[in-house]
Amino acid sequence: TLLEKFYGKNPFYNVKNSEELIGHLIIGLAPHTSVGIVGRIIGYSETHVCFATPNWHSAKRRDADGDADSIMLLMDSLLNFSRQFLSDRIGGLMDAPLLVQPLVLPHESQPQAHNLEVTKFLPLEFFESTFNEIKASDIASVDIIKSRLETERQFYDYFFTHSTSSLTTSKSRSAYSTLGSMLDKFDMQVKNADLIDAVNTSEIVSNVISTHLVPDIMGNLRAYARQNFRCTACGKSYRRMPLIQTCICGHKLIATITRGSVEKYLKLAKRLVEKYDVSEYQRGRIHALSDEIELVFGKNKGDQSLLTDYA
């Protein structure tokens, strides 16, 4: 329509149904990024998911974890885009294809995408390695993308060991997108870990606490101490609360970071350190963070007071 009404040109796609879009180029864009990756539509599925090679998803810097993803027609992106459409606020440049990468070079993808097997069969040496409990990274008998990097075959001959009549199952959405809270998602992950003998559930919990929960709680607490205050009427932002405690326009100022956002993972962390066999250091670290949050905000109204509180 834009080509016809504004530029006086013939329609580019002029398709009658979705099947006629097969073969056309698209741009894939992951959340919170600004670089789109060119791809091509090769078909459709009855699932709420975007099937593509790991290299393509990795080039978008998007793990296949169930979070929202997006694709857009290439010509539509080129015609209906302008920097003037974007917000001038922080984050306004995200979620827009400011740059477009036309080619995906496997050696530029993230390392986890290089671990994909591209062989027609698994050799006997592989099964012997499993009996000897050799680390997957030390097995050289299976052809993976990593072994082809910087060669011509990094682009083609991606074989597979078993044929299938369908890429989908009876589930149209992943559990990650149907489960509500992060607590539900993590509980499901722990339940799966408990079912696998080769997985140490306590080790997984310990890693999640160290790499996600503790840094998140500490970062949110630090952000709370450095937060700005915003006017509810004019939107003016203040680096510090003025002495008059109101905006220059006379309206109320509110905090931009709430207590709930600071301690959103605290209850989960406290439950994990009590339920699973984690180190005393981690257990003490979580309780120390809990005490620090109480010093900043005070006790929640629903928290029960202890006799030691009055000592």
Side-chain angles (χ1 to χ4, degrees), residues 193-212:
D194 286 334
L195 295 174
I196 304 174
D197 291 336
V199 175
N200 186 332
T201 306
S202 294
E203 184 177 348
I204 288 181
V205 170
S206 179
N207 289 336
V208 169
I209 292 174
S210 298
T211 60
H212 288 81

Side-chain angles (χ1 to χ4, degrees), residues 88-101:
D88 58 354
R89 296 181 179 273
I90 294 177
L93 298 182
M94 294 192 301
D95 302 317
L98 301 181
L99 300 173
V100 176
Q101 182 176 330

Side-chain angles (χ1 to χ4, degrees), residues 28 35 59 93 130 140 147-148 168 202 221 250-251 265 276 291 293 302:
V35 180
L93 298 182
T130 62
S147 61
R148 298 183 178 185
T168 62
S202 294
L221 191 59
H251 288 84
Y265 294 136
Y276 295 97
D291 293 340
I293 290 175

Side-chain angles (χ1 to χ4, degrees), residues 77-246:
S77 305
L78 297 177
L79 285 176
N80 298 323
F81 176 78
S82 171
R83 291 288 290 264
Q84 296 180 354
F85 296 160
L86 305 180
S87 171
D88 58 354
R89 296 181 179 273
I90 294 177
L93 298 182
M94 294 192 301
D95 302 317
L98 301 181
L99 300 173
V100 176
Q101 182 176 330
L103 298 175
V104 175
L105 302 178
H107 66 272
E108 295 180 353
S109 300
Q110 294 171 304
Q112 61 191 24
H114 301 157
N115 295 326
L116 178 70
E117 298 93 349
V118 286
T119 183
K120 291 183 178 180
F121 61 90
L122 297 175
L124 178 61
E125 292 86 347
F126 166 75
F127 296 99
E128 292 175 343
S129 300
T130 62
F131 282 111
N132 297 325
E133 298 183 355
I134 297 177
K135 290 184 178 180
S137 58
D138 296 333
I139 296 177
S141 58
V142 178
D143 192 15
I144 60 176
I145 295 178
K146 182 179 180 180
S147 61
R148 298 183 178 185
L149 296 180
E150 307 292 348
T151 68
E152 288 187 3
R153 294 187 70 229
Q154 68 179 336
F155 297 106
Y156 59 88
D157 281 349
Y158 280 26
F159 299 115
F160 47 89
T161 57
H162 296 77
S163 299
T164 180
S165 59
S166 175
L167 292 175
T168 62
T169 63
S170 59
K171 298 289 185 180
S172 61
R173 299 174 67 108
S174 70
Y176 190 94
S177 62
T178 56
L179 294 173
S181 65
M182 184 59 66
L183 179 60
D184 294 334
K185 296 173 182 177
F186 186 73
D187 281 342
M188 184 64 70
Q189 180 182 355
V190 171
K191 287 180 181 178
N192 288 336
D194 286 334
L195 295 174
I196 304 174
D197 291 336
V199 175
N200 186 332
T201 306
S202 294
E203 184 177 348
I204 288 181
V205 170
S206 179
N207 289 336
V208 169
I209 292 174
S210 298
T211 60
H212 288 81
L213 299 185
V214 169
D216 189 277
I217 296 172
M218 292 178 62
N220 291 337
L221 191 59
R222 188 182 305 111
Y224 178 84
R226 300 176 179 178
Q227 69 175 310
N228 294 339
F229 296 86
R230 182 175 57 84
C231 176
T232 56
C234 67
K236 182 177 176 59
S237 179
Y238 291 83
R239 184 168 172 267
R240 293 287 183 269
M241 176 67 75
L243 293 177
I244 59 174
Q245 297 188 2
T246 59

